[in-house]
């Protein structure tokens, strides 16, 4: 990993962009490359800015994309293998 990548990773996510500027939230912008129209992503970005929710949660809540489909597209975009089985729930799964 080069120094610039390490610095970005330590800095955390970029700050939210002010409302009304027409830009997409960075956490969902990659979906443009997966066939989701700009207008839908823009509406979710605006809703996220106004409500304080994450943009991907706004997409899921609106029924635009399922949680599984979002996870699959995110995995494809990042090259990370997608987990297809449920993870144990510490509140209910007792060893």
């Amino acid at each position: 990993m080069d120094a610039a990548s390490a610095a970005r990773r330590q800095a955390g996510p970029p700050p939210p962009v002010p409302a009304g500027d027409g830009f997409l939230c960075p956490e969902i912008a990659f979906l443009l490359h997966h066939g989701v129209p700009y207008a839908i992503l823009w509406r979710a970005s605006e809703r996220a800015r106004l409500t304080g929710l994450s943009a991907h949660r706004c997409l899921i809540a609106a029924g635009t994309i399922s949680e599984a489909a979002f996870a699959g597209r995110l995995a494809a975009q990042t090259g990370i293998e997608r987990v297809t089985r449920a993870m144990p729930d510490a509140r209910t799964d007792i060893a």
Side-chain angles (χ1 to χ4, degrees), residues 30-43:
F30 76 93
L31 290 170
L32 279 171
H33 303 291
H34 293 269
V36 180
Y38 179 88
I40 290 173
L41 297 176
W42 182 83
R43 279 193 297 271

PDB file of all heavy atoms in Angstrom, residues 30-43:
ATOM      1  N   PHE A  30     -20.567   4.446  -6.846  1.00  0.00           N
ATOM      2  CA  PHE A  30     -20.086   3.325  -7.657  1.00  0.00           C
ATOM      3  C   PHE A  30     -21.228   2.581  -8.346  1.00  0.00           C
ATOM      4  O   PHE A  30     -21.020   1.898  -9.345  1.00  0.00           O
ATOM      5  CB  PHE A  30     -19.266   2.344  -6.798  1.00  0.00           C
ATOM      6  CG  PHE A  30     -20.087   1.464  -5.899  1.00  0.00           C
ATOM      7  CD1 PHE A  30     -20.481   0.200  -6.338  1.00  0.00           C
ATOM      8  CD2 PHE A  30     -20.485   1.881  -4.645  1.00  0.00           C
ATOM      9  CE1 PHE A  30     -21.249  -0.623  -5.525  1.00  0.00           C
ATOM     10  CE2 PHE A  30     -21.252   1.071  -3.830  1.00  0.00           C
ATOM     11  CZ  PHE A  30     -21.634  -0.187  -4.270  1.00  0.00           C
ATOM     12  N   LEU A  31     -22.454   2.712  -7.821  1.00  0.00           N
ATOM     13  CA  LEU A  31     -23.587   2.006  -8.404  1.00  0.00           C
ATOM     14  C   LEU A  31     -23.923   2.490  -9.813  1.00  0.00           C
ATOM     15  O   LEU A  31     -24.600   1.794 -10.563  1.00  0.00           O
ATOM     16  CB  LEU A  31     -24.805   2.110  -7.489  1.00  0.00           C
ATOM     17  CG  LEU A  31     -24.715   1.317  -6.187  1.00  0.00           C
ATOM     18  CD1 LEU A  31     -25.860   1.675  -5.250  1.00  0.00           C
ATOM     19  CD2 LEU A  31     -24.667  -0.176  -6.450  1.00  0.00           C
ATOM     20  N   LEU A  32     -23.434   3.677 -10.182  1.00  0.00           N
ATOM     21  CA  LEU A  32     -23.588   4.135 -11.567  1.00  0.00           C
ATOM     22  C   LEU A  32     -22.988   3.121 -12.530  1.00  0.00           C
ATOM     23  O   LEU A  32     -23.540   2.870 -13.600  1.00  0.00           O
ATOM     24  CB  LEU A  32     -22.881   5.483 -11.771  1.00  0.00           C
ATOM     25  CG  LEU A  32     -23.627   6.728 -11.334  1.00  0.00           C
ATOM     26  CD1 LEU A  32     -22.701   7.928 -11.410  1.00  0.00           C
ATOM     27  CD2 LEU A  32     -24.866   6.943 -12.175  1.00  0.00           C
ATOM     28  N   HIS A  33     -21.866   2.527 -12.144  1.00  0.00           N
ATOM     29  CA  HIS A  33     -21.180   1.540 -12.982  1.00  0.00           C
ATOM     30  C   HIS A  33     -21.880   0.189 -12.960  1.00  0.00           C
ATOM     31  O   HIS A  33     -21.473  -0.721 -13.670  1.00  0.00           O
ATOM     32  CB  HIS A  33     -19.726   1.382 -12.539  1.00  0.00           C
ATOM     33  CG  HIS A  33     -18.974   2.666 -12.556  1.00  0.00           C
ATOM     34  ND1 HIS A  33     -18.636   3.324 -13.707  1.00  0.00           N
ATOM     35  CD2 HIS A  33     -18.524   3.438 -11.534  1.00  0.00           C
ATOM     36  CE1 HIS A  33     -18.002   4.433 -13.405  1.00  0.00           C
ATOM     37  NE2 HIS A  33     -17.912   4.524 -12.093  1.00  0.00           N
ATOM     38  N   HIS A  34     -22.912   0.065 -12.142  1.00  0.00           N
ATOM     39  CA  HIS A  34     -23.658  -1.184 -12.042  1.00  0.00           C
ATOM     40  C   HIS A  34     -25.099  -1.004 -12.525  1.00  0.00           C
ATOM     41  O   HIS A  34     -25.985  -1.779 -12.161  1.00  0.00           O
ATOM     42  CB  HIS A  34     -23.622  -1.712 -10.600  1.00  0.00           C
ATOM     43  CG  HIS A  34     -22.256  -2.137 -10.178  1.00  0.00           C
ATOM     44  ND1 HIS A  34     -21.793  -3.419 -10.345  1.00  0.00           N
ATOM     45  CD2 HIS A  34     -21.230  -1.431  -9.637  1.00  0.00           C
ATOM     46  CE1 HIS A  34     -20.537  -3.486  -9.906  1.00  0.00           C
ATOM     47  NE2 HIS A  34     -20.181  -2.295  -9.474  1.00  0.00           N
ATOM     48  N   GLY A  35     -25.331   0.044 -13.296  1.00  0.00           N
ATOM     49  CA  GLY A  35     -26.618   0.225 -13.956  1.00  0.00           C
ATOM     50  C   GLY A  35     -27.690   0.984 -13.206  1.00  0.00           C
ATOM     51  O   GLY A  35     -28.809   1.097 -13.694  1.00  0.00           O
ATOM     52  N   VAL A  36     -27.392   1.528 -12.038  1.00  0.00           N
ATOM     53  CA  VAL A  36     -28.396   2.303 -11.311  1.00  0.00           C
ATOM     54  C   VAL A  36     -28.367   3.732 -11.855  1.00  0.00           C
ATOM     55  O   VAL A  36     -27.309   4.361 -11.901  1.00  0.00           O
ATOM     56  CB  VAL A  36     -28.134   2.295  -9.784  1.00  0.00           C
ATOM     57  CG1 VAL A  36     -29.197   3.099  -9.050  1.00  0.00           C
ATOM     58  CG2 VAL A  36     -28.087   0.860  -9.264  1.00  0.00           C
ATOM     59  N   PRO A  37     -29.506   4.262 -12.291  1.00  0.00           N
ATOM     60  CA  PRO A  37     -29.537   5.604 -12.879  1.00  0.00           C
ATOM     61  C   PRO A  37     -29.101   6.707 -11.917  1.00  0.00           C
ATOM     62  O   PRO A  37     -29.364   6.650 -10.712  1.00  0.00           O
ATOM     63  CB  PRO A  37     -31.014   5.792 -13.271  1.00  0.00           C
ATOM     64  CG  PRO A  37     -31.562   4.412 -13.361  1.00  0.00           C
ATOM     65  CD  PRO A  37     -30.807   3.600 -12.348  1.00  0.00           C
ATOM     66  N   TYR A  38     -28.468   7.737 -12.478  1.00  0.00           N
ATOM     67  CA  TYR A  38     -27.975   8.873 -11.699  1.00  0.00           C
ATOM     68  C   TYR A  38     -29.093   9.508 -10.879  1.00  0.00           C
ATOM     69  O   TYR A  38     -28.902   9.836  -9.705  1.00  0.00           O
ATOM     70  CB  TYR A  38     -27.350   9.918 -12.635  1.00  0.00           C
ATOM     71  CG  TYR A  38     -26.846  11.124 -11.904  1.00  0.00           C
ATOM     72  CD1 TYR A  38     -25.552  11.154 -11.390  1.00  0.00           C
ATOM     73  CD2 TYR A  38     -27.655  12.244 -11.706  1.00  0.00           C
ATOM     74  CE1 TYR A  38     -25.083  12.256 -10.701  1.00  0.00           C
ATOM     75  CE2 TYR A  38     -27.196  13.346 -11.018  1.00  0.00           C
ATOM     76  CZ  TYR A  38     -25.913  13.351 -10.521  1.00  0.00           C
ATOM     77  OH  TYR A  38     -25.458  14.439  -9.824  1.00  0.00           O
ATOM     78  N   ALA A  39     -30.270   9.692 -11.480  1.00  0.00           N
ATOM     79  CA  ALA A  39     -31.368  10.375 -10.781  1.00  0.00           C
ATOM     80  C   ALA A  39     -31.759   9.647  -9.497  1.00  0.00           C
ATOM     81  O   ALA A  39     -32.040  10.278  -8.478  1.00  0.00           O
ATOM     82  CB  ALA A  39     -32.574  10.505 -11.710  1.00  0.00           C
ATOM     83  N   ILE A  40     -31.770   8.328  -9.536  1.00  0.00           N
ATOM     84  CA  ILE A  40     -32.112   7.544  -8.342  1.00  0.00           C
ATOM     85  C   ILE A  40     -31.045   7.709  -7.273  1.00  0.00           C
ATOM     86  O   ILE A  40     -31.347   7.896  -6.095  1.00  0.00           O
ATOM     87  CB  ILE A  40     -32.311   6.066  -8.715  1.00  0.00           C
ATOM     88  CG1 ILE A  40     -33.598   5.930  -9.532  1.00  0.00           C
ATOM     89  CG2 ILE A  40     -32.340   5.176  -7.477  1.00  0.00           C
ATOM     90  CD1 ILE A  40     -33.822   4.560 -10.109  1.00  0.00           C
ATOM     91  N   LEU A  41     -29.780   7.666  -7.686  1.00  0.00           N
ATOM     92  CA  LEU A  41     -28.688   7.838  -6.725  1.00  0.00           C
ATOM     93  C   LEU A  41     -28.673   9.246  -6.149  1.00  0.00           C
ATOM     94  O   LEU A  41     -28.390   9.448  -4.967  1.00  0.00           O
ATOM     95  CB  LEU A  41     -27.351   7.500  -7.390  1.00  0.00           C
ATOM     96  CG  LEU A  41     -27.220   6.052  -7.855  1.00  0.00           C
ATOM     97  CD1 LEU A  41     -25.902   5.860  -8.595  1.00  0.00           C
ATOM     98  CD2 LEU A  41     -27.340   5.089  -6.704  1.00  0.00           C
ATOM     99  N   TRP A  42     -29.004  10.228  -6.983  1.00  0.00           N
ATOM    100  CA  TRP A  42     -29.040  11.613  -6.515  1.00  0.00           C
ATOM    101  C   TRP A  42     -30.143  11.797  -5.474  1.00  0.00           C
ATOM    102  O   TRP A  42     -29.930  12.417  -4.433  1.00  0.00           O
ATOM    103  CB  TRP A  42     -29.253  12.572  -7.683  1.00  0.00           C
ATOM    104  CG  TRP A  42     -29.235  14.002  -7.247  1.00  0.00           C
ATOM    105  CD1 TRP A  42     -28.138  14.782  -7.046  1.00  0.00           C
ATOM    106  CD2 TRP A  42     -30.371  14.805  -6.911  1.00  0.00           C
ATOM    107  NE1 TRP A  42     -28.523  16.022  -6.611  1.00  0.00           N
ATOM    108  CE2 TRP A  42     -29.896  16.061  -6.521  1.00  0.00           C
ATOM    109  CE3 TRP A  42     -31.736  14.569  -6.912  1.00  0.00           C
ATOM    110  CZ2 TRP A  42     -30.736  17.092  -6.134  1.00  0.00           C
ATOM    111  CZ3 TRP A  42     -32.586  15.609  -6.523  1.00  0.00           C
ATOM    112  CH2 TRP A  42     -32.071  16.849  -6.141  1.00  0.00           C
ATOM    113  N   ARG A  43     -31.334  11.209  -5.736  1.00  0.00           N
ATOM    114  CA  ARG A  43     -32.434  11.321  -4.767  1.00  0.00           C
ATOM    115  C   ARG A  43     -32.055  10.669  -3.437  1.00  0.00           C
ATOM    116  O   ARG A  43     -32.343  11.213  -2.367  1.00  0.00           O
ATOM    117  CB  ARG A  43     -33.708  10.697  -5.323  1.00  0.00           C
ATOM    118  CG  ARG A  43     -34.463  11.610  -6.266  1.00  0.00           C
ATOM    119  CD  ARG A  43     -35.858  11.112  -6.547  1.00  0.00           C
ATOM    120  NE  ARG A  43     -35.884   9.828  -7.221  1.00  0.00           N
ATOM    121  CZ  ARG A  43     -35.872   9.673  -8.542  1.00  0.00           C
ATOM    122  NH1 ARG A  43     -35.852  10.725  -9.331  1.00  0.00           N
ATOM    123  NH2 ARG A  43     -35.900   8.461  -9.067  1.00  0.00           N
TER     124      ARG A  43
END
